[in-house]
Amino acid sequence: MTLALADTTPGASIRLRGLSKSFGGKAVLRKISLDIPAGQFVAVVGRSGCGKTTLLRLLAGLETPDSGEISLDGGPVSAAAAFTRVMFQEPRLLPWASVLANVRLGFGDDRATPEASRKGFEALSRVGLADRAQDWPSVLSGGQKQRASLARALVSAPRVLTLDEPLGALDALTRIEMQKLLEAVWRREGFTAVLVTHDVSEAVRLADRILLIEDGALALDIDVDLPRPRERGSVAVASLEESILRRLLRDAEIPPEFSI
């Protein structure tokens, strides 16, 4: 199924200039500079510890850079907090609140209003969970919990959605279903998406653009000029996956005991 893009692009543009961040004297990000147009879907890949999640947390305003600048639509990240949302690897649903009540948390102080309930139910409908609105999170499957988490992120109509390995804990089939849902929601609503993932095939399937981080620096910036929907196993998709994996694994060390 081909989905049309939103008539207008509510996403925000992102601009990074000389962005650096260290923890305990260790440089995690080194002078990252890039521009992300409004409405683009960007995937960030790289080995564990390369700085992917730190970059995401900086974009979401959860960390502050040591040097450099971040701007969203020309303004500071702090001013953009109202239209930026994060989807984490864990659903982080409150077990003592219904699914709908968890989604309403996306409204912050206004979560108890009738409008929050109405929009919360609409958000659950968009992710296929309208019939589970009054259930407890404990009775949902892993995929359903992540759908609820996505609904909570979407309920306040974000202009930037950052996603930190949100599908990493799902089984293979559920992960494919969630990838399709993410793509459909993004194409329908037009927000800017930044996804951190270890799964190169996921990055190629979802993104307009793939960034490879190595040792805290931007090593590759690749436009994914492939038609949607992207068929698994197609020659073009497989070729792009292979080229990125080859770069990721080029310096991999194999312990001598496992060498042939």
Tab-separated table of all heavy atoms in Angstrom, residues 29-87:
chain	number	residue	atom	x	y	z
A	29	LEU	N	30.941	12.527	21.376
A	29	LEU	CA	30.635	13.125	20.073
A	29	LEU	C	31.675	14.187	19.769
A	29	LEU	O	32.048	14.965	20.653
A	29	LEU	CB	29.240	13.740	20.064
A	29	LEU	CG	28.050	12.786	20.107
A	29	LEU	CD1	26.748	13.577	20.159
A	29	LEU	CD2	28.044	11.838	18.916
A	30	ARG	N	32.120	14.233	18.511
A	30	ARG	CA	33.196	15.134	18.120
A	30	ARG	C	32.780	16.013	16.944
A	30	ARG	O	32.731	15.555	15.792
A	30	ARG	CB	34.443	14.336	17.722
A	30	ARG	CG	34.898	13.288	18.727
A	30	ARG	CD	35.925	12.358	18.111
A	30	ARG	NE	36.246	11.219	18.952
A	30	ARG	CZ	37.237	11.185	19.830
A	30	ARG	NH1	38.005	12.247	19.972
A	30	ARG	NH2	37.467	10.113	20.548
A	31	LYS	N	32.412	17.231	17.226
A	31	LYS	CA	32.177	18.254	16.207
A	31	LYS	C	31.263	17.775	15.075
A	31	LYS	O	31.604	17.823	13.899
A	31	LYS	CB	33.510	18.745	15.635
A	31	LYS	CG	34.393	19.414	16.683
A	31	LYS	CD	35.671	19.961	16.086
A	31	LYS	CE	36.505	20.664	17.165
A	31	LYS	NZ	37.765	21.217	16.624
A	32	ILE	N	30.073	17.337	15.462
A	32	ILE	CA	29.072	16.894	14.488
A	32	ILE	C	28.373	18.117	13.897
A	32	ILE	O	27.855	18.961	14.627
A	32	ILE	CB	28.027	15.984	15.150
A	32	ILE	CG1	28.676	14.743	15.757
A	32	ILE	CG2	26.932	15.607	14.154
A	32	ILE	CD1	29.108	13.707	14.782
A	33	SER	N	28.341	18.189	12.580
A	33	SER	CA	27.616	19.256	11.881
A	33	SER	C	26.749	18.629	10.793
A	33	SER	O	27.247	17.839	9.984
A	33	SER	CB	28.578	20.265	11.246
A	33	SER	OG	29.308	20.968	12.231
A	34	LEU	N	25.477	18.964	10.793
A	34	LEU	CA	24.588	18.482	9.734
A	34	LEU	C	23.284	19.254	9.767
A	34	LEU	O	22.963	19.925	10.748
A	34	LEU	CB	24.329	16.979	9.866
A	34	LEU	CG	23.669	16.444	11.143
A	34	LEU	CD1	22.149	16.381	10.989
A	34	LEU	CD2	24.180	15.055	11.472
A	35	ASP	N	22.552	19.166	8.662
A	35	ASP	CA	21.236	19.788	8.532
A	35	ASP	C	20.225	18.715	8.163
A	35	ASP	O	20.459	17.927	7.238
A	35	ASP	CB	21.247	20.873	7.465
A	35	ASP	CG	22.101	22.063	7.860
A	35	ASP	OD1	21.635	22.873	8.669
A	35	ASP	OD2	23.234	22.165	7.347
A	36	ILE	N	19.108	18.688	8.871
A	36	ILE	CA	18.020	17.758	8.589
A	36	ILE	C	16.794	18.582	8.193
A	36	ILE	O	16.272	19.345	9.017
A	36	ILE	CB	17.703	16.887	9.813
A	36	ILE	CG1	18.932	16.058	10.219
A	36	ILE	CG2	16.508	15.971	9.530
A	36	ILE	CD1	18.745	15.262	11.501
A	37	PRO	N	16.335	18.457	6.960
A	37	PRO	CA	15.159	19.222	6.539
A	37	PRO	C	13.899	18.790	7.284
A	37	PRO	O	13.803	17.653	7.764
A	37	PRO	CB	15.039	18.894	5.043
A	37	PRO	CG	16.364	18.340	4.645
A	37	PRO	CD	16.916	17.666	5.859
A	38	ALA	N	12.944	19.672	7.369
A	38	ALA	CA	11.671	19.367	8.015
A	38	ALA	C	11.007	18.186	7.319
A	38	ALA	O	10.941	18.119	6.091
A	38	ALA	CB	10.763	20.580	7.969
A	39	GLY	N	10.532	17.243	8.106
A	39	GLY	CA	9.790	16.111	7.576
A	39	GLY	C	10.634	14.938	7.127
A	39	GLY	O	10.084	13.913	6.716
A	40	GLN	N	11.951	15.032	7.213
A	40	GLN	CA	12.805	13.932	6.773
A	40	GLN	C	12.837	12.821	7.829
A	40	GLN	O	12.738	13.080	9.024
A	40	GLN	CB	14.219	14.443	6.501
A	40	GLN	CG	15.126	13.435	5.797
A	40	GLN	CD	16.449	14.054	5.370
A	40	GLN	OE1	17.251	14.472	6.197
A	40	GLN	NE2	16.669	14.116	4.058
A	41	PHE	N	13.000	11.580	7.366
A	41	PHE	CA	13.181	10.431	8.255
A	41	PHE	C	14.651	10.036	8.193
A	41	PHE	O	15.145	9.592	7.173
A	41	PHE	CB	12.303	9.254	7.815
A	41	PHE	CG	12.095	8.218	8.893
A	41	PHE	CD1	10.804	7.817	9.252
A	41	PHE	CD2	13.175	7.633	9.562
A	41	PHE	CE1	10.599	6.865	10.252
A	41	PHE	CE2	12.988	6.687	10.554
A	41	PHE	CZ	11.695	6.300	10.898
A	42	VAL	N	15.356	10.216	9.314
A	42	VAL	CA	16.788	9.952	9.387
A	42	VAL	C	17.028	8.777	10.327
A	42	VAL	O	16.460	8.722	11.418
A	42	VAL	CB	17.558	11.192	9.899
A	42	VAL	CG1	19.034	10.881	10.088
A	42	VAL	CG2	17.375	12.354	8.933
A	43	ALA	N	17.860	7.840	9.902
A	43	ALA	CA	18.278	6.737	10.764
A	43	ALA	C	19.749	6.907	11.098
A	43	ALA	O	20.556	7.257	10.230
A	43	ALA	CB	18.047	5.393	10.081
A	44	VAL	N	20.093	6.677	12.360
A	44	VAL	CA	21.472	6.790	12.829
A	44	VAL	C	21.943	5.396	13.230
A	44	VAL	O	21.333	4.751	14.084
A	44	VAL	CB	21.587	7.751	14.025
A	44	VAL	CG1	23.049	7.950	14.410
A	44	VAL	CG2	20.935	9.091	13.704
A	45	VAL	N	23.020	4.927	12.580
A	45	VAL	CA	23.547	3.596	12.866
A	45	VAL	C	24.993	3.709	13.314
A	45	VAL	O	25.635	4.749	13.142
A	45	VAL	CB	23.443	2.667	11.638
A	45	VAL	CG1	21.995	2.488	11.214
A	45	VAL	CG2	24.277	3.193	10.470
A	46	GLY	N	25.513	2.624	13.865
A	46	GLY	CA	26.892	2.591	14.343
A	46	GLY	C	27.031	1.557	15.434
A	46	GLY	O	26.036	1.044	15.952
A	47	ARG	N	28.252	1.250	15.780
A	47	ARG	CA	28.494	0.252	16.813
A	47	ARG	C	28.087	0.771	18.190
A	47	ARG	O	27.961	1.970	18.408
A	47	ARG	CB	29.975	-0.125	16.833
A	47	ARG	CG	30.445	-0.796	15.560
A	47	ARG	CD	31.861	-1.278	15.737
A	47	ARG	NE	32.379	-1.827	14.503
A	47	ARG	CZ	33.562	-2.418	14.402
A	47	ARG	NH1	34.340	-2.512	15.462
A	47	ARG	NH2	33.969	-2.905	13.246
A	48	SER	N	27.918	-0.157	19.120
A	48	SER	CA	27.612	0.231	20.497
A	48	SER	C	28.713	1.148	21.034
A	48	SER	O	29.898	0.880	20.839
A	48	SER	CB	27.507	-1.014	21.383
A	48	SER	OG	26.424	-1.816	20.986
A	49	GLY	N	28.271	2.224	21.685
A	49	GLY	CA	29.226	3.157	22.277
A	49	GLY	C	29.769	4.203	21.332
A	49	GLY	O	30.616	5.003	21.729
A	50	CYS	N	29.249	4.255	20.104
A	50	CYS	CA	29.795	5.218	19.131
A	50	CYS	C	29.264	6.627	19.335
A	50	CYS	O	29.799	7.588	18.783
A	50	CYS	CB	29.517	4.751	17.708
A	50	CYS	SG	27.774	4.874	17.223
A	51	GLY	N	28.171	6.780	20.099
A	51	GLY	CA	27.599	8.111	20.335
A	51	GLY	C	26.204	8.310	19.787
A	51	GLY	O	25.649	9.412	19.875
A	52	LYS	N	25.588	7.254	19.245
A	52	LYS	CA	24.261	7.384	18.632
A	52	LYS	C	23.217	7.897	19.615
A	52	LYS	O	22.505	8.865	19.339
A	52	LYS	CB	23.779	6.030	18.081
A	52	LYS	CG	24.671	5.370	17.077
A	52	LYS	CD	24.032	4.115	16.507
A	52	LYS	CE	23.656	3.085	17.541
A	52	LYS	NZ	24.817	2.554	18.288
A	53	THR	N	23.118	7.228	20.761
A	53	THR	CA	22.087	7.596	21.728
A	53	THR	C	22.363	8.964	22.331
A	53	THR	O	21.433	9.737	22.604
A	53	THR	CB	21.982	6.533	22.831
A	53	THR	OG1	21.513	5.307	22.249
A	53	THR	CG2	21.017	6.963	23.922
A	54	THR	N	23.629	9.300	22.526
A	54	THR	CA	23.963	10.638	23.032
A	54	THR	C	23.489	11.705	22.060
A	54	THR	O	22.926	12.734	22.468
A	54	THR	CB	25.481	10.765	23.258
A	54	THR	OG1	25.877	9.818	24.250
A	54	THR	CG2	25.849	12.165	23.723
A	55	LEU	N	23.687	11.469	20.762
A	55	LEU	CA	23.199	12.415	19.751
A	55	LEU	C	21.697	12.577	19.859
A	55	LEU	O	21.170	13.700	19.834
A	55	LEU	CB	23.595	11.928	18.360
A	55	LEU	CG	23.084	12.762	17.180
A	55	LEU	CD1	23.623	14.187	17.247
A	55	LEU	CD2	23.465	12.106	15.859
A	56	LEU	N	20.989	11.470	20.010
A	56	LEU	CA	19.537	11.521	20.111
A	56	LEU	C	19.095	12.292	21.354
A	56	LEU	O	18.162	13.103	21.303
A	56	LEU	CB	18.977	10.102	20.149
A	56	LEU	CG	17.507	9.953	19.767
A	56	LEU	CD1	17.345	10.091	18.268
A	56	LEU	CD2	16.962	8.604	20.221
A	57	ARG	N	19.752	12.042	22.475
A	57	ARG	CA	19.389	12.720	23.717
A	57	ARG	C	19.661	14.226	23.628
A	57	ARG	O	18.918	15.034	24.204
A	57	ARG	CB	20.147	12.100	24.890
A	57	ARG	CG	19.670	10.691	25.233
A	57	ARG	CD	20.480	10.088	26.377
A	57	ARG	NE	20.304	10.834	27.620
A	57	ARG	CZ	19.295	10.656	28.463
A	57	ARG	NH1	18.354	9.766	28.200
A	57	ARG	NH2	19.214	11.370	29.575
A	58	LEU	N	20.684	14.605	22.910
A	58	LEU	CA	20.952	16.029	22.694
A	58	LEU	C	19.847	16.662	21.859
A	58	LEU	O	19.372	17.769	22.154
A	58	LEU	CB	22.308	16.220	22.018
A	58	LEU	CG	23.537	15.932	22.885
A	58	LEU	CD1	24.789	15.849	22.014
A	58	LEU	CD2	23.722	17.002	23.954
A	59	LEU	N	19.412	15.959	20.808
A	59	LEU	CA	18.339	16.482	19.963
A	59	LEU	C	17.034	16.630	20.742
A	59	LEU	O	16.260	17.556	20.500
A	59	LEU	CB	18.118	15.556	18.768
A	59	LEU	CG	19.212	15.503	17.705
A	59	LEU	CD1	18.870	14.469	16.641
A	59	LEU	CD2	19.399	16.867	17.064
A	60	ALA	N	16.813	15.694	21.670
A	60	ALA	CA	15.574	15.713	22.447
A	60	ALA	C	15.637	16.666	23.635
A	60	ALA	O	14.643	16.835	24.349
A	60	ALA	CB	15.251	14.301	22.932
A	61	GLY	N	16.793	17.278	23.869
A	61	GLY	CA	16.937	18.191	24.992
A	61	GLY	C	17.155	17.493	26.321
A	61	GLY	O	17.046	18.132	27.380
A	62	LEU	N	17.478	16.186	26.298
A	62	LEU	CA	17.713	15.447	27.536
A	62	LEU	C	19.147	15.587	28.018
A	62	LEU	O	19.457	15.223	29.153
A	62	LEU	CB	17.381	13.961	27.330
A	62	LEU	CG	15.943	13.665	26.892
A	62	LEU	CD1	15.760	12.174	26.648
A	62	LEU	CD2	14.954	14.170	27.931
A	63	GLU	N	20.041	16.054	27.162
A	63	GLU	CA	21.425	16.364	27.510
A	63	GLU	C	21.774	17.716	26.888
A	63	GLU	O	21.112	18.174	25.942
A	63	GLU	CB	22.397	15.299	26.966
A	63	GLU	CG	22.161	13.894	27.451
A	63	GLU	CD	22.710	13.646	28.844
A	63	GLU	OE1	23.345	14.562	29.407
A	63	GLU	OE2	22.497	12.529	29.362
A	64	THR	N	22.803	18.354	27.407
A	64	THR	CA	23.276	19.607	26.825
A	64	THR	C	24.680	19.396	26.271
A	64	THR	O	25.501	18.690	26.867
A	64	THR	CB	23.308	20.738	27.866
A	64	THR	OG1	24.102	20.313	28.985
A	64	THR	CG2	21.905	21.065	28.342
A	65	PRO	N	24.991	19.985	25.127
A	65	PRO	CA	26.322	19.788	24.535
A	65	PRO	C	27.394	20.542	25.297
A	65	PRO	O	27.120	21.545	25.961
A	65	PRO	CB	26.151	20.352	23.120
A	65	PRO	CG	25.052	21.362	23.243
A	65	PRO	CD	24.123	20.832	24.294
A	66	ASP	N	28.624	20.043	25.217
A	66	ASP	CA	29.760	20.766	25.794
A	66	ASP	C	30.143	21.953	24.918
A	66	ASP	O	30.595	22.983	25.418
A	66	ASP	CB	30.966	19.828	25.936
A	66	ASP	CG	30.698	18.706	26.921
A	66	ASP	OD1	29.910	18.912	27.859
A	66	ASP	OD2	31.281	17.617	26.746
A	67	SER	N	29.987	21.768	23.615
A	67	SER	CA	30.264	22.856	22.674
A	67	SER	C	29.455	22.625	21.418
A	67	SER	O	28.951	21.530	21.174
A	67	SER	CB	31.767	22.916	22.341
A	67	SER	OG	32.205	21.708	21.735
A	68	GLY	N	29.325	23.664	20.631
A	68	GLY	CA	28.523	23.572	19.418
A	68	GLY	C	27.100	24.030	19.644
A	68	GLY	O	26.717	24.420	20.757
A	69	GLU	N	26.297	23.963	18.594
A	69	GLU	CA	24.934	24.480	18.641
A	69	GLU	C	23.951	23.490	18.026
A	69	GLU	O	24.272	22.795	17.058
A	69	GLU	CB	24.830	25.812	17.887
A	69	GLU	CG	25.670	26.933	18.484
A	69	GLU	CD	25.526	28.228	17.691
A	69	GLU	OE1	24.893	28.194	16.616
A	69	GLU	OE2	26.036	29.258	18.159
A	70	ILE	N	22.759	23.447	18.612
A	70	ILE	CA	21.619	22.709	18.051
A	70	ILE	C	20.468	23.693	17.919
A	70	ILE	O	20.164	24.416	18.875
A	70	ILE	CB	21.150	21.567	18.956
A	70	ILE	CG1	22.312	20.705	19.437
A	70	ILE	CG2	20.108	20.710	18.247
A	70	ILE	CD1	21.890	19.652	20.447
A	71	SER	N	19.830	23.693	16.770
A	71	SER	CA	18.627	24.516	16.633
A	71	SER	C	17.550	23.719	15.918
A	71	SER	O	17.832	22.912	15.037
A	71	SER	CB	18.925	25.811	15.863
A	71	SER	OG	19.357	25.544	14.542
A	72	LEU	N	16.315	23.926	16.347
A	72	LEU	CA	15.152	23.329	15.713
A	72	LEU	C	14.292	24.460	15.191
A	72	LEU	O	13.856	25.324	15.968
A	72	LEU	CB	14.361	22.473	16.707
A	72	LEU	CG	14.850	21.029	16.921
A	72	LEU	CD1	16.217	21.015	17.588
A	72	LEU	CD2	13.846	20.229	17.741
A	73	ASP	N	14.097	24.464	13.880
A	73	ASP	CA	13.388	25.566	13.223
A	73	ASP	C	13.998	26.917	13.583
A	73	ASP	O	13.288	27.911	13.775
A	73	ASP	CB	11.904	25.549	13.574
A	73	ASP	CG	11.081	24.809	12.528
A	73	ASP	OD1	11.663	24.320	11.538
A	73	ASP	OD2	9.846	24.721	12.693
A	74	GLY	N	15.319	26.948	13.741
A	74	GLY	CA	16.021	28.193	14.002
A	74	GLY	C	16.052	28.616	15.452
A	74	GLY	O	16.684	29.613	15.796
A	75	GLY	N	15.391	27.852	16.326
A	75	GLY	CA	15.367	28.203	17.739
A	75	GLY	C	16.089	27.176	18.580
A	75	GLY	O	16.432	26.086	18.107
A	76	PRO	N	16.344	27.493	19.841
A	76	PRO	CA	17.057	26.556	20.721
A	76	PRO	C	16.221	25.324	21.039
A	76	PRO	O	14.991	25.364	20.992
A	76	PRO	CB	17.321	27.390	21.976
A	76	PRO	CG	16.248	28.425	21.975
A	76	PRO	CD	15.993	28.749	20.535
A	77	VAL	N	16.913	24.227	21.371
A	77	VAL	CA	16.220	22.981	21.700
A	77	VAL	C	15.285	23.179	22.889
A	77	VAL	O	14.183	22.629	22.927
A	77	VAL	CB	17.242	21.865	22.004
A	77	VAL	CG1	16.556	20.639	22.583
A	77	VAL	CG2	17.994	21.487	20.734
A	78	SER	N	15.687	23.962	23.868
A	78	SER	CA	14.850	24.171	25.052
A	78	SER	C	13.497	24.772	24.698
A	78	SER	O	12.475	24.432	25.288
A	78	SER	CB	15.573	25.084	26.051
A	78	SER	OG	15.909	26.321	25.445
A	79	ALA	N	13.492	25.641	23.694
A	79	ALA	CA	12.235	26.259	23.276
A	79	ALA	C	11.383	25.308	22.453
A	79	ALA	O	10.189	25.536	22.280
A	79	ALA	CB	12.529	27.528	22.460
A	80	ALA	N	11.997	24.229	21.957
A	80	ALA	CA	11.283	23.276	21.110
A	80	ALA	C	10.736	22.092	21.887
A	80	ALA	O	10.156	21.177	21.310
A	80	ALA	CB	12.213	22.774	20.005
A	81	ALA	N	10.896	22.102	23.214
A	81	ALA	CA	10.489	20.949	24.021
A	81	ALA	C	9.012	20.612	23.845
A	81	ALA	O	8.624	19.446	23.887
A	81	ALA	CB	10.794	21.212	25.493
A	82	ALA	N	8.199	21.627	23.620
A	82	ALA	CA	6.765	21.396	23.511
A	82	ALA	C	6.391	20.604	22.272
A	82	ALA	O	5.331	19.969	22.246
A	82	ALA	CB	6.022	22.736	23.503
A	83	PHE	N	7.236	20.614	21.244
A	83	PHE	CA	6.869	19.874	20.031
A	83	PHE	C	7.852	18.754	19.703
A	83	PHE	O	7.864	18.227	18.594
A	83	PHE	CB	6.669	20.815	18.832
A	83	PHE	CG	7.869	21.603	18.402
A	83	PHE	CD1	8.932	20.987	17.722
A	83	PHE	CD2	7.934	22.969	18.608
A	83	PHE	CE1	10.022	21.716	17.282
A	83	PHE	CE2	9.030	23.704	18.170
A	83	PHE	CZ	10.069	23.076	17.507
A	84	THR	N	8.678	18.348	20.655
A	84	THR	CA	9.604	17.230	20.476
A	84	THR	C	9.237	16.103	21.434
A	84	THR	O	9.009	16.344	22.617
A	84	THR	CB	11.054	17.674	20.744
A	84	THR	OG1	11.404	18.734	19.849
A	84	THR	CG2	12.023	16.516	20.520
A	85	ARG	N	9.184	14.885	20.923
A	85	ARG	CA	8.850	13.735	21.751
A	85	ARG	C	9.874	12.620	21.532
A	85	ARG	O	10.523	12.556	20.500
A	85	ARG	CB	7.449	13.212	21.432
A	85	ARG	CG	6.331	14.149	21.853
A	85	ARG	CD	6.243	14.257	23.363
A	85	ARG	NE	5.183	15.170	23.808
A	85	ARG	CZ	5.370	16.457	24.072
A	85	ARG	NH1	6.582	16.993	23.901
A	85	ARG	NH2	4.371	17.213	24.486
A	86	VAL	N	9.994	11.745	22.548
A	86	VAL	CA	10.948	10.634	22.516
A	86	VAL	C	10.195	9.325	22.658
A	86	VAL	O	9.294	9.206	23.488
A	86	VAL	CB	11.981	10.745	23.656
A	86	VAL	CG1	13.028	9.635	23.526
A	86	VAL	CG2	12.647	12.107	23.676
A	87	MET	N	10.574	8.338	21.856
A	87	MET	CA	10.076	6.982	22.013
A	87	MET	C	11.274	6.104	22.365
A	87	MET	O	12.224	6.005	21.588
A	87	MET	CB	9.405	6.495	20.734
A	87	MET	CG	8.686	5.174	20.886
A	87	MET	SD	7.788	4.754	19.379
A	87	MET	CE	7.244	3.089	19.775
